[in-house]
Amino acid sequence: MTIYQNLIAGEWVGSHASQNLSPSDTNDVVGLYAQANADDAKQAIAAAKAAFPAWARSGILERHAILRKASDEILARKEELGALLAREEGKVLPEAIGEVTRAAQIFDFFAGEALRLAGETVPSARPGIGVEVTREPLGVIGIITPWNFPIAIPAWKIAPALCYGNTVVFKPADLVPGCAWAIVDILNRAGLPKGVLNLVMGRGSVVGQALLDSPDLSGLTFTGSTGTGKRVALASIEHNRKFQLEMGGKNPMVVLDDADLSVAVEAAANSGFFSTGQRCTASSRLIVTEGIHDRFVAALTERLKTLTVDNAMKPGTHIGPVVDERQLKQDTDYIDIGKTEGARLAFGGEVLTRDTPGFYLQPTLFTEATNQMRISREEIFGPVVSVIRAKDYDEALAISNDTPFGLSAGIATTSLKHATHFKRNAEAGMVMVNLPTAGVDFHVPFGGRKASSFGPREQGRYAAEFFTVVKTAYTLA
């Protein structure tokens, strides 16, 4: 099989490779992908550093054209790239194609932003002096991305980095090198100068650590686990490096007595179980008031019975496999913990067998949970959801906010009063009313509070806050 290589200083390199297996069918080898080592990572950083001065001063039309060309190719190949994504990550094909489309939209947005770079001219407090406030590129950016959105998250980090004139060293998650390679290949052929974008696939303990240890990175943007995020922060502080973290979530969805039951059930099912629950914005805590609790649980249970768990590539599949054996074990361990803690297993929880060997898990719903249980406080990152009773809105809001995380929060209600109050008082970076907590637009800021996020927001025009540095210049007239 062809080895898909790393891109360093504009050259495809690497002969040592590992197999990329599909979680829907472990007999399906998606491809052979090169494994970088620490020296490769250092060479990639050096290449990005050497390429930075020229790219930082490149014309806005050049950046616009490259990003737009990449967007057009991604969109034109959405079915092909969606199939690759579904095979290697396990997201069902329609969701995978939707993610690829979103990546194309992100590149298109930042192609436009390249033409809208602007600053300010303001009067000085002193007569006869002019003041200009401008943004300049930060420098060499290290990008470390997770496996659960293997093309959208790289897109929303790489696109603004390049748009604002930075150079990039990109290290994707071990489990999903295929989408990373594809997006880098597209950008490389779109006309990026050598060294502007470098791809180093490999183990986090090797390649990722080399990025953390480098004094030549001006910024590091990371999405992944809370534990690794803390390591990124500590290493970045050591080098006085700008850093941006998107980490875990234990997102609540409040369901009030006055909610439209069908709307609440669909939002909860989508939030908690679609994408196999492997979303940092997934609602894994459903906080339901007494008057609607039993009807909601019964209706949600019936909805879960209609969901088909199978091969991500198979038509009619609603939920694909868990991403790998390790994640499956983590999910089943938490299911056992929930039973031990005294929560009631209302539905699912079984490891499933399908026509192809894979990591299939039945959607799992616990009821009679409390907010103090581990299944209600720790991120499971799978299709495992807990229902917590609340006597009224005030208690539901308090439970909602009683978490170390603060990424996304939702409420199902027909009360304008409660919806407005929740939007203002939910301790989360993103709030949804009568919508799934998972699912955001490409042109608006993404991020959370508390242990979920650190640093400037991602996506939209807010991305400039991380990828640029502000300069103030004075001129005597």
Side-chain angles (χ1 to χ4, degrees), residues 261-262 264-266 269 292-306 365:
L261 184 61
S262 62
V265 167
E266 198 56 37
I292 199 173
H293 179 279
D294 293 350
R295 288 184 294 127
F296 174 80
V297 168
L300 180 57
T301 302
E302 290 302 311
R303 179 70 176 99
L304 295 183
K305 292 177 182 177
T306 70
L365 183 67

Side-chain angles (χ1 to χ4, degrees), residues 150-174:
I151 194 165
I153 292 179
W156 82 49
K157 294 179 187 291
I158 293 172
L162 297 177
C163 166
Y164 296 117
N166 302 280
T167 54
V168 171
V169 180
F170 171 34
K171 185 249 176 281
D174 300 345

Side-chain angles (χ1 to χ4, degrees), residues 352-426:
L352 304 173
T353 301
R354 291 295 181 257
D355 293 340
T356 51
F359 310 111
Y360 299 105
L361 179 63
Q362 203 176 15
T364 305
L365 183 67
F366 280 105
T367 60
E368 308 308 328
T370 70
N371 205 47
Q372 285 68 49
M373 293 178 177
R374 287 182 62 189
I375 58 169
S376 301
R377 301 204 71 78
E378 299 173 11
E379 186 175 42
I380 300 170
F381 219 66
V384 183
V385 172
S386 303
V387 179
I388 301 168
R389 288 181 185 263
K391 67 176 182 291
D392 54 24
Y393 168 75
D394 290 336
E395 184 178 58
L397 176 63
I399 294 171
S400 172
N401 289 335
D402 180 15
T403 173
F405 300 105
L407 182 55
S408 186
I411 187 169
T413 180
T414 55
S415 165
L416 179 60
K417 172 187 173 182
H418 287 138
T420 302
H421 189 273
F422 189 80
K423 285 189 288 184
R424 291 174 179 168
N425 292 278

Side-chain angles (χ1 to χ4, degrees), residues 52-87:
F52 174 70
W55 182 247
R57 290 165 177 78
S58 60
I60 60 174
L61 282 177
E62 180 183 3
R63 297 184 209 169
H64 166 80
I66 291 170
L67 294 174
R68 181 59 189 271
K69 188 173 181 181
S71 171
D72 289 344
E73 181 172 342
I74 291 168
L75 191 60
R77 295 172 57 193
K78 64 181 181 180
E79 285 82 9
E80 172 202 345
L81 295 173
L84 171 63
L85 196 163
R87 281 178 70 199

Side-chain angles (χ1 to χ4, degrees), residues 102 105 156 281 408 430-432 436-447 459:
R102 179 176 175 185
Q105 292 168 334
W156 82 49
T281 51
S408 186
M430 298 176 288
V431 180
M432 313 292 184
T437 56
V440 296
D441 293 329
F442 63 88
H443 64 302
V444 296
F446 177 98
Q459 295 199 138

Side-chain angles (χ1 to χ4, degrees), residues 38-369:
D39 286 339
D40 293 327
K42 292 174 183 176
Q43 290 175 27
I45 294 168
K49 185 177 181 181
F52 174 70
W55 182 247
R57 290 165 177 78
S58 60
I60 60 174
L61 282 177
E62 180 183 3
R63 297 184 209 169
H64 166 80
I66 291 170
L67 294 174
R68 181 59 189 271
K69 188 173 181 181
S71 171
D72 289 344
E73 181 172 342
I74 291 168
L75 191 60
R77 295 172 57 193
K78 64 181 181 180
E79 285 82 9
E80 172 202 345
L81 295 173
L84 171 63
L85 196 163
R87 281 178 70 199
E88 76 167 353
E89 194 269 346
K91 193 169 294 179
V92 296
L93 188 56
E95 288 185 358
I97 293 172
E99 181 177 335
V100 173
T101 302
R102 179 176 175 185
Q105 292 168 334
I106 291 166
F107 276 101
D108 182 53
F109 176 86
F110 283 105
E113 285 297 281
L115 301 179
R116 291 189 287 266
L117 298 177
E120 293 180 274
T121 301
V122 297
S124 170
R126 294 166 289 170
I129 294 176
V131 183
E132 296 174 347
V133 181
T134 55
R135 288 187 177 273
E136 297 184 352
L138 184 61
V140 178
I141 307 293
I143 293 177
I144 301 176
T145 58
W147 49 258
N148 61 324
F149 282 88
I151 194 165
I153 292 179
W156 82 49
K157 294 179 187 291
I158 293 172
L162 297 177
C163 166
Y164 296 117
N166 302 280
T167 54
V168 171
V169 180
F170 171 34
K171 185 249 176 281
D174 300 345
L175 293 173
V176 288
C179 286
W181 190 93
I183 200 171
V184 169
D185 175 58
I186 289 169
L187 283 161
N188 185 54
R189 288 186 291 99
L192 281 177
K194 292 183 177 182
V196 170
L197 174 61
N198 302 271
L199 172 67
V200 280
M201 301 175 288
R203 300 293 300 171
S205 58
V206 177
V207 179
Q209 190 62 48
L211 267 62
L212 297 192
D213 293 340
S214 176
D216 291 326
L217 292 184
S218 301
L220 206 162
T221 175
F222 167 83
T223 300
S225 70
T226 302
T228 304
K230 290 178 180 178
R231 290 180 54 209
V232 171
L234 289 172
S236 296
I237 291 169
E238 178 72 21
H239 294 293
N240 199 30
R241 172 197 304 141
K242 197 173 183 181
F243 62 97
Q244 177 185 56
L245 308 176
E246 288 297 337
M247 298 174 288
K250 197 66 184 174
N251 307 296
M253 172 167 282
V254 170
V255 180
L256 298 183
D257 289 352
D258 61 20
D260 181 310
L261 184 61
S262 62
V263 169
V265 167
E266 198 56 37
N270 184 304
S271 296
F273 302 103
F274 284 29
S275 296
T276 323
Q278 296 174 154
R279 300 184 285 198
C280 56
T281 51
S283 291
S284 52
R285 292 186 300 143
L286 305 178
I287 303 162
V288 187
T289 50
E290 288 282 5
I292 199 173
H293 179 279
D294 293 350
R295 288 184 294 127
F296 174 80
V297 168
L300 180 57
T301 302
E302 290 302 311
R303 179 70 176 99
L304 295 183
K305 292 177 182 177
T306 70
L307 299 179
T308 300
V309 180
D310 210 327
N311 191 307
M313 299 292 291
K314 191 173 181 179
T317 298
H318 300 107
I319 297 175
V322 174
V323 72
D324 70 352
E325 186 173 17
R326 179 179 176 183
Q327 185 63 48
L328 179 62
K329 184 179 187 306
Q330 177 170 304
D331 295 347
T332 55
D333 284 349
Y334 270 106
I335 292 169
D336 290 339
I337 288 168
K339 294 175 183 176
T340 302
E341 288 180 314
R344 173 179 170 267
L345 182 61
F347 183 83
E350 297 296 323
V351 176
L352 304 173
T353 301
R354 291 295 181 257
D355 293 340
T356 51
F359 310 111
Y360 299 105
L361 179 63
Q362 203 176 15
T364 305
L365 183 67
F366 280 105
T367 60
E368 308 308 328

